[in-house]
Amino acid sequence: MPEGIPRLLRDLIHDRTGLFFEDARLEILLEKLEPLARGRGLDSYLDYYYALKDNEPDEWDGVWEVLSVQETYFWREMSQVNALAEVIVPTWFKKRSQPFRIWSAACATGEEPYTLAIALAEAGFGSHPIEIVGSDASPMALRKAGAAIYREKSFRTLPFALRQKYFEPVAGGWKLVPEIVKKVTFARANLFESGEVAPLARAQVIFCRNVFIYFSAHSIRQTVAVMASRIPSGGHLFVGAAESLLRMTADFELKEVASALAYVRI
């Protein structure tokens, strides 16, 4: 393989997805892409680079499938979810009757947005006008989210009483009950495409957790800037516990909400 080809592939993928692989991880990137290149009958990574550069949608679908991290589960990082259900949403409906909008960005197979729906139902907001949208760039992940059937690894922290209350055993796992499924809609969105992010970011709360750890600083700044341009003043942005936006944006202020930290739109 000619020297420089791995970086060409890395930079092209970064430009289209925001995902970034440091030089030390280029070998991992190539290992993930190799089956896709072989599947097309290509003889080299350079040929595959040109196939991606032609921007064929099916080819990029494959890239998303092999690069997406589908590690998620119900009841994850619950301090932020509790802040939503116990503080943010009650405060909204004390003053307003308009719908409350929540966007779960890069939601993978749907455990996060469904967690939000369950937590809000448990807090007594099941009949309130709350709109929850989950998005991901992986078509396969979204299909699984829509099916709402989960296996044991998704329940590692969900209290068993809630599993019994909101899930029914079916072939292949546990299926979420229809009254929760219908509270969440799903959409495909690449967080590095401003045209796909902008309409979803018109929400009072955005959960974008454990995503930016895979982005470059440039990608983070660009994505957060689009979110900031659409989320209303006072809106809350939640990121993962291992992520920080303190040097990435001046549009949000870090505040404590209940026992959680949130970035609040200035």
Side-chain angles (χ1 to χ4, degrees):
M1 178 170 51
E3 186 178 353
I5 299 303
R7 291 185 180 85
L8 276 177
L9 272 169
R10 184 264 309 277
D11 294 344
L12 176 61
I13 288 170
H14 176 241
D15 289 343
R16 302 288 176 89
T17 70
L19 301 172
F20 187 72
F21 286 76
E22 301 284 352
D23 285 355
R25 299 181 68 241
L26 285 176
E27 200 65 38
I28 295 173
L29 175 63
L30 295 180
E31 288 175 1
K32 290 178 177 291
L33 297 178
E34 182 179 0
L36 300 179
R38 290 189 181 278
R40 283 184 59 98
L42 301 176
D43 296 324
S44 70
Y45 283 112
L46 180 60
D47 290 338
Y48 188 63
Y49 167 81
Y50 284 117
L52 289 180
K53 200 169 177 61
D54 287 341
N55 205 27
E56 298 177 20
D58 290 345
E59 203 58 55
W60 281 99
D61 284 352
V63 173
W64 278 115
E65 298 305 339
V66 299
L67 297 186
S68 294
V69 179
Q70 305 296 336
E71 174 58 29
T72 184
Y73 48 91
F74 291 100
W75 243 235
R76 185 180 188 182
E77 295 183 29
M78 282 302 291
S79 62
Q80 297 174 332
V81 179
N82 292 336
L84 172 76
E86 297 171 6
V87 178
I88 300 172
V89 168
T91 300
W92 174 271
F93 286 113
K94 281 180 182 177
K95 301 176 182 179
R96 307 171 182 84
S97 59
Q98 298 100 320
F100 186 90
R101 297 181 177 87
I102 305 168
W103 174 29
S104 172
C107 72
T109 46
E111 286 92 332
E112 180 177 88
Y114 287 139
T115 289
L116 303 178
I118 292 171
L120 290 168
E122 286 292 295
F125 293 98
S127 61
H128 286 63
I130 299 175
E131 301 171 4
I132 304 174
V133 178
S135 75
D136 202 86
S138 165
M140 182 180 296
L142 291 175
R143 287 193 294 271
K144 291 180 179 178
I149 297 175
Y150 297 95
R151 297 184 177 181
E152 287 299 321
K153 68 176 183 178
S154 294
F155 300 111
R156 66 190 75 170
T157 58
L158 181 70
F160 188 71
L162 292 181
R163 190 202 298 205
Q164 290 182 309
K165 183 176 181 179
Y166 291 105
F167 293 84
E168 302 168 344
V170 296
W174 293 70
K175 186 172 179 62
L176 190 58
V177 295
E179 53 264 38
I180 296 297
V181 173
K182 70 182 181 182
K183 294 182 182 298
V184 180
T185 58
F186 292 97
R188 187 176 183 189
N190 174 359
L191 292 182
F192 208 51
E193 290 288 345
S194 59
E196 298 177 11
V197 170
L200 295 170
R202 295 188 180 97
Q204 280 69 47
V205 172
I206 299 173
F207 281 81
C208 188
R209 305 191 297 180
N210 306 302
V211 178
F212 292 144
I213 54 176
Y214 303 105
F215 276 25
S216 67
H218 166 72
S219 304
I220 297 171
R221 291 189 181 96
Q222 178 173 316
T223 301
V224 172
V226 177
M227 290 177 174
S229 72
R230 293 296 187 270
I231 192 172
S233 177
H236 293 73
L237 169 61
F238 289 104
V239 300
E243 299 169 318
S244 174
L245 303 180
L246 290 178
R247 297 184 179 181
M248 298 293 178
T249 177
D251 295 320
F252 292 88
E253 182 180 358
L254 184 63
K255 292 186 177 181
E256 189 171 6
V257 183
S259 60
L261 293 176
Y263 291 88
V264 181
R265 182 68 169 96
I266 298 171

